[in-house]
């Protein structure tokens, strides 16, 4: 399978770069697997964020999470990356992921409508 490009929304790239070295390396490797159509080693679906959204779970010097969606043909979209400090994911993190997901869907709909008009 061809490698899908990664596209980072909002501050997701900067947030991921702020992870400690080992957590950043693990996140990068797991996203690379997803780019090749493979399943990451530790993930769960995050339907509360949006249909098709998954959460990478990284345990390295703490707990880190990356929300992404891989269901679109053109790219894998990284919605949010953050350090998890409590047992339950904070509502603010879920809300930010949901907001970026909805913005992505809206932008894709506008782009499709423009293409149909041409």
């Amino acid at each position: 399978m061809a490698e899908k490009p990664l596209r980072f929304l909002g501050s997701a790239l900067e947030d991921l770069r702020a992870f400690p070295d080992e957590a950043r390396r693990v996140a990068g490797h797991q996203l690379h697997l997803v780019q090749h159509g493979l399943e990451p080693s530790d993930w769960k679906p995050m339907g509360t964020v949006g249909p098709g959204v998954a959460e990478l779970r990284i345990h390295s010097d703490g707990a880190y999470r990356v929300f992404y969606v891989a269901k679109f043909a053109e790219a894998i979209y990284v919605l949010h990356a953050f350090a998890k400090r409590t047992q339950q994911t904070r509502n603010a993190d879920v809300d930010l992921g949901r907001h970026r997901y909805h913005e992505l869907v809206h932008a894709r709909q506008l782009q499709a409508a423009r293409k149909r008009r041409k």
Side-chain angles (χ1 to χ4, degrees), residues 15-31 41 56-66:
D15 297 337
L16 183 61
R17 286 180 174 161
F19 284 10
D21 289 345
E22 180 62 14
R24 189 173 59 245
R25 187 193 65 74
V26 171
H29 175 70
Q30 297 302 312
L31 287 170
S41 62
L56 282 179
R57 298 185 293 192
I58 300 148
H59 304 280
S60 174
D61 271 345
Y64 299 88
R65 301 293 187 261
V66 177

Side-chain angles (χ1 to χ4, degrees), residues 8 25 37 40 53 63 90 93:
F8 292 85
R25 187 193 65 74
V53 174
R90 294 178 332 139
D93 291 312

